[in-house]
Amino acid sequence: MDRIRIIGGNPLNGTIPISGAKNAALPLMIAGLLTEQTLILDNVPRLADVAQLQRILGNHGVDITAVGKRPGDGKYQGQTLQISAADIIDTTAPYELVSRMRASFWVVAPLLARMHQAKVSLPGGCAIGTRPVDLLIMALEKLGAQIAIDGGYVVAKAPGGLRGGYIDFPKVTVGGTHVALMAATLAKGTTVITNAACEPEVSDLAECLTKMGACITGAGTTRIEVEGVDVLHGARHTVLPDRIEAGTYAIATAMTGGDVQLEGARPELLQSALDVLIEAGAEIGVNADGIRVRRNGNGIRPVQVATAPFPGFPTDLQAQLMALMVCAQGASAITETIFENRFMHVQELARFGARISLDGETARIDGISTLRGAPVMATDLRASVSLVIAGLAAEGETMVNRVYHLDRGFERLEDKLKACGAAIERISD
């Protein structure tokens, strides 16, 4: 199993190209099930989760062609996927595939919308709370689906097809909004989704579906309206840049000091995180090529932050910010409001010498001047990169174990950091 070895203490200086967003690419790939024609996605990141979803879609009979670099492409240009679901040969998504990645459960929506039936295993994924699928099932039932749970599978049927309906989510759910959007595109009549997620990845999916012939208004707001159509056609769409990756490298730059250009990053996708970094003492500049992050000499200031749905501070940057606050000059507090049990990185950060106490949903961090390198173990995707950030600033050697979590969501992490001066390498046993 691979490990990542880091010798801390080097500031980051240089340029880091931002990859396509994993959290946008996955629902976009699943949307390819909605049409017999080919959906072409550009700027798809090369990630373990993307490869796993390709296997899941292949199980349904989807043909996927991956095109690598073309002449003139940059070094980190994302891949292009050509997704053709002309013949869906199987409407079952089995446990052994779905259990490895939660987002794969979303195939239930296009399969039900287009084929009027689906049998999908209840999902797996990161162990950061229950994250139940009850809201996703509720949304489909509002569109006329008949759903039963049988032997760990969701068995869904819609004889005669889905019908437009009114979906009011009791709490904001990105996955639920993705599922409702995809299902509603081929439903008969009008669907209204209220308390919808406003995340950029939802807007990106809606933009792609519109290119495919869907009639969607209001994406990016809490109220989305979808007028169902009979069929969707092929289209070409570019995956938006990954705001979580951009925020992660911005925090790493603030942690180590230095000056990094985040090439291709879009500030409007992570403004709340940038505001927090400015409060913490980083200098943030926006230019034609993306976002420039600097921290030269000044210390890290403590902050008080609560995670929230977009446009609030992202839960997917909570662990990274906590690593930064470990070295702040004073006491910080981070409250996690989205997922329970998402503080599993606390005990690993403590191995660097961090002083963190938990009080329910809030972590209180007393900053220290020096971290010490240590062997640590990743518990989930975002927690794992927080350990890398701590290791970059710690004295001596840090060994991050179980880095397969990193490969699920960060494309060529060690290559990008090494190009900016980090002493980091992957070790394969």
Side-chain angles (χ1 to χ4, degrees):
M1 191 175 294
D2 288 3
R3 298 174 290 162
I4 287 181
R5 179 175 179 264
I6 304 167
I7 304 297
N10 294 351
L12 297 178
N13 289 285
T15 298
I16 296 179
I18 300 304
S19 299
K22 180 194 87 152
N23 289 345
L26 299 181
L28 288 167
M29 291 170 65
I30 290 170
L33 287 166
L34 287 164
T35 177
E36 294 181 359
Q37 297 182 14
T38 300
L39 174 64
I40 301 173
L41 298 177
D42 295 310
N43 198 35
V44 178
R46 295 170 178 84
L47 300 171
D49 274 8
V50 169
Q52 176 65 10
L53 184 54
Q54 287 180 248
R55 287 188 283 271
I56 291 166
L57 294 176
N59 184 71
H60 296 300
V62 180
D63 291 323
I64 301 179
T65 303
V67 181
K69 282 203 299 181
R70 293 168 298 202
D73 280 351
K75 184 178 179 182
Y76 289 106
Q77 185 74 26
Q79 62 186 331
T80 294
L81 296 184
Q82 299 175 354
I83 301 170
S84 177
D87 297 304
I88 295 177
I89 60 174
D90 192 343
T91 57
T92 297
Y95 169 78
E96 58 268 22
L97 293 177
V98 178
S99 62
R100 300 180 189 176
M101 184 177 62
R102 295 192 56 83
S104 58
F105 179 80
W106 301 341
V107 299
V108 68
L111 289 174
L112 191 57
R114 182 174 156 197
M115 306 302 291
H116 304 169
Q117 63 180 18
K119 182 180 179 182
V120 180
S121 171
L122 291 167
C126 283
I128 54 172
T130 55
R131 299 204 283 181
V133 297
D134 56 339
L135 297 182
L136 285 65
I137 291 172
M138 177 274 288
L140 295 173
E141 288 178 331
K142 293 289 187 181
L143 301 182
Q146 302 167 7
I147 295 180
I149 309 294
D150 183 14
Y153 281 78
V154 172
V155 181
K157 297 179 181 178
L162 295 172
R163 303 183 306 275
Y166 181 77
I167 301 169
D168 180 30
F169 286 115
K171 68 176 185 177
V172 176
T173 162
V174 175
T177 305
H178 283 321
V179 162
L181 257 182
M182 286 189 278
T185 57
L186 294 178
K188 295 181 177 66
T190 303
T191 297
V192 176
I193 307 165
T194 57
N195 201 27
C198 301
E199 269 68 7
E201 295 80 12
V202 170
S203 299
D204 206 38
L205 174 62
E207 183 182 334
C208 179
L209 291 171
T210 300
K211 291 177 183 176
M212 296 167 67
C215 296
I216 302 169
T217 55
T221 74
T222 58
R223 187 182 191 277
I224 303 175
E225 190 167 313
V226 184
E227 187 67 39
V229 296
D230 291 336
V231 293
L232 294 177
H233 53 72
R236 185 162 198 156
H237 182 77
T238 300
V239 179
L240 87 173
D242 195 322
R243 61 193 174 102
I244 304 303
E245 185 193 34
T248 297
Y249 289 127
I251 291 172
T253 305
M255 182 70 158
T256 63
D259 186 339
V260 171
Q261 173 73 34
L262 303 175
E263 186 177 77
R266 286 169 45 186
E268 72 275 13
L269 302 182
L270 69 156
Q271 192 59 55
S272 62
L274 297 179
D275 291 343
V276 169
L277 281 175
I278 292 169
E279 185 183 347
E283 299 175 44
I284 306 292
V286 176
N287 52 51
D289 295 324
I291 300 170
R292 186 178 179 186
V293 184
R294 289 181 288 180
R295 187 179 70 82
N296 297 314
N298 54 319
I300 298 168
R301 295 193 291 264
V303 298
Q304 313 276 323
V305 171
T307 61
F310 189 85
F313 189 89
T315 179
D316 280 352
L317 287 176
Q318 176 257 108
Q320 297 92 309
L321 180 66
M322 190 179 296
L324 177 64
M325 289 300 103
V326 163
C327 290
Q329 298 171 336
S332 303
I334 301 175
T335 301
E336 175 58 61
T337 69
I338 309 297
F339 293 127
E340 75 276 20
N341 198 29
R342 205 173 198 182
F343 283 143
M344 290 186 292
H345 45 282
V346 168
Q347 61 188 13
E348 295 301 305
L349 288 172
R351 296 176 61 81
F352 293 96
R355 296 197 298 242
I356 307 170
S357 60
L358 296 180
D359 180 11
E361 297 177 336
T362 299
R364 305 191 187 281
I365 309 109
D366 291 315
I368 59 176
S369 58
T370 305
L371 300 180
R372 301 181 305 276
V376 290
M377 186 170 292
T379 53
D380 64 67
L381 170 55
R382 307 308 175 183
S384 59
V385 82
S386 75
L387 304 178
V388 172
I389 290 170
L392 291 172
E395 291 184 348
E397 178 182 295
T398 294
M399 190 73 75
V400 182
N401 296 285
R402 286 188 13 191
V403 298
Y404 60 84
H405 288 293
L406 282 170
D407 295 334
R408 291 185 47 232
F410 290 93
E411 183 177 23
R412 301 175 182 175
L413 174 108
E414 60 271 25
D415 292 344
K416 293 183 179 185
L417 288 171
K418 187 183 295 185
C420 290
I424 182 171
E425 64 177 344
R426 180 177 292 245
I427 299 173
S428 298
D429 294 332

